[in-house]
Amino acid sequence: MGEQNAQEQTTPWTDETSRERGDRPSGRAGHVALLFLALAALLAGVVVVLIAQGSIAIPLGEVTAVLTGWGDASEIHRTIVVDARLPKVVAGLLAGAALAVGGAQMQTLFRNPLADPFVLGVSSGAVLGASVVILGTGGVGWLAGLGVLSQLGVSGAAVAGAAGVLLIGLGVARRVGDPVVVLVVGVVLGYLAGAAVDVLVYYTDPDRLQALTAFTRGSVRNVTWDELRIIAIVCGAVLGLSVFLAQPLNALLLGERYAGTLGVHVRRVRLLSLAGVAVLSGVTTAYCGTIGFVGLAAPHLARGLLRTADHRLVLPMSALIGAVVVLAAEYVAGGNGLTGTALPLNSVTAFVGAPVILWVLLTGRVRGEGR
């Protein structure tokens, strides 16, 4: 009876297709395969279009020739694609995919459909670290005028601030087994870091606030190959770890006690997920700014399309959706879309994510009333 109640609590994340519609397994597999192929094709198209567009337009054929190595492309176009545009596209693809996967993990761990990769307050710690360097004290930036070293100092300080919050959050997670307490601690740490940033803003020179605004608005268009290596290592680790966590996360959908009876080491799974996602949110915030709503909305879109909560399908589908959303948002935010002017990436992703969250809340209420 307890297991049955646990199963009921997972709705609307349970597999509705085979239970309610009675689809045959072969038809179900074909439907899922078609979804993955369609999203992969959409992602490839967005990548090519995003690289082709810019202050210097490049024909789609030449972009394809550079990316695939087939055909001829001018040396100028090859340099623009490889040195200027490809790093930002790869960074957006990796960050979107990893943040979406991290969001799916957090929603399962905390059993909260509104959880996302920034739930532990790590991104706020990253912003605080960057603010200390950008704003400095007494209105004088500590690393002002150092050129490249100043930029490296901002990113390094952001990582350090994220690491500080991460250590506190993981310390609480190891000491306290209740995920709700960990969630509350993350929210509190986020508020504390935000308050510290507000104090720095209050006492700083107004001319320096523009630099902080540019950092927090979210963008992948300034990512270099050197920075991309760090982003790729962290995002790759989170994506790789998700492969091994898919089955334990499926067990956690039915409750921690039930998962324990299946041989799942619940505390280890929780710590691995929290550590990976927290490092991810800190590094992406340090190098790409805060990219909000992707980790929150993409998993729900994946579950809605797949009509299942099976993480073996939800995690890769979330990765594809997250990558598409971030790259499409960067296309609009970069001034190539409908607006014709540069916008904060975080604002564009919010226009996508907010309706999804409203849909989750409204459909959840309707289903709750129907039980």
Side-chain angles (χ1 to χ4, degrees):
M1 188 67 173
E3 293 178 8
Q4 182 179 357
N5 291 336
Q7 277 187 311
E8 291 177 356
Q9 291 175 359
T10 61
T11 56
W13 292 356
T14 50
D15 190 342
E16 297 176 352
T17 303
S18 59
R19 183 161 49 106
E20 296 179 1
R21 294 188 174 183
D23 292 347
R24 292 176 297 177
S26 59
R28 170 69 177 163
H31 172 72
V32 171
L34 184 61
L35 283 175
F36 275 100
L37 287 175
L39 273 174
L42 178 60
L43 177 60
V46 173
V47 167
V48 173
V49 170
L50 184 57
I51 293 178
Q53 299 299 317
S55 56
I56 299 178
I58 301 177
L60 295 179
E62 293 209 18
V63 173
T64 305
V66 173
L67 295 179
T68 61
W70 299 340
D72 296 328
S74 69
E75 194 61 33
I76 295 178
H77 288 166
R78 186 179 302 275
T79 301
I80 293 174
V81 169
V82 175
D83 295 338
R85 298 182 183 176
L86 192 56
K88 74 172 184 179
V89 171
V90 176
L93 189 154
L94 289 174
L99 287 172
V101 168
Q105 294 180 24
M106 293 298 99
Q107 289 166 9
T108 299
L109 286 178
F110 292 109
R111 302 183 67 80
N112 187 337
L114 299 181
D116 71 353
F118 305 121
V119 73
L120 295 179
V122 176
S123 61
S124 299
V127 173
L128 174 59
S131 300
V132 171
V133 173
I134 295 173
L135 303 180
T137 57
V140 180
W142 293 346
L143 299 179
L146 295 182
V148 177
L149 291 179
S150 176
Q151 185 63 36
L152 291 177
V154 170
S155 300
V159 172
V165 176
L166 169 63
L167 292 176
I168 297 174
L170 291 182
V172 173
R174 291 192 62 180
R175 187 178 182 87
V176 181
D178 189 354
V180 176
V181 176
V182 177
L183 180 63
V184 173
V185 170
V187 173
V188 171
L189 291 176
Y191 276 116
L192 288 175
V197 172
D198 289 340
V199 172
L200 288 175
V201 169
Y202 184 80
Y203 286 105
T204 196
D205 184 352
D207 294 336
R208 303 193 63 81
L209 295 180
Q210 185 63 34
L212 179 62
T213 302
F215 175 83
T216 56
R217 66 188 298 183
S219 175
V220 297
R221 64 194 70 135
N222 295 322
V223 174
T224 64
W225 279 113
D226 290 335
E227 295 172 340
L228 180 59
R229 292 187 181 94
I230 300 175
I231 297 173
I233 291 173
V234 174
C235 293
V238 171
L239 293 173
L241 183 62
S242 68
V243 176
F244 299 97
L245 293 177
Q247 197 62 42
L249 289 173
N250 281 343
L252 285 174
L253 286 174
L254 301 178
E256 294 185 0
R257 292 184 179 179
Y258 186 84
T261 62
L262 297 178
V264 176
H265 198 302
V266 176
R267 184 172 290 248
R268 181 184 303 166
V269 170
R270 183 187 298 123
L271 285 176
L272 284 175
S273 296
L274 290 177
V277 174
V279 172
L280 166 71
S281 62
V283 170
T284 54
T285 302
Y287 292 102
C288 305
T290 304
I291 304 177
F293 276 104
V294 175
L296 187 61
H300 292 296
L301 287 173
R303 297 187 191 100
L305 290 173
L306 294 169
R307 294 189 176 276
T308 181
D310 187 349
H311 288 85
R312 293 172 297 179
L313 296 175
V314 169
L315 292 179
M317 178 63 73
S318 298
L320 284 173
I321 294 175
V324 169
V325 169
V326 169
L327 293 183
E330 178 59 29
Y331 174 80
V332 176
N336 300 311
L338 299 175
T339 62
T341 184
L343 295 172
L345 178 60
N346 203 17
S347 299
V348 180
T349 55
F351 283 118
V352 177
V356 173
I357 302 308
L358 291 175
W359 170 75
V360 170
L361 293 174
L362 293 176
T363 56
R365 177 178 300 177
V366 171
R367 289 176 181 175
E369 292 173 353
R371 282 202 296 267

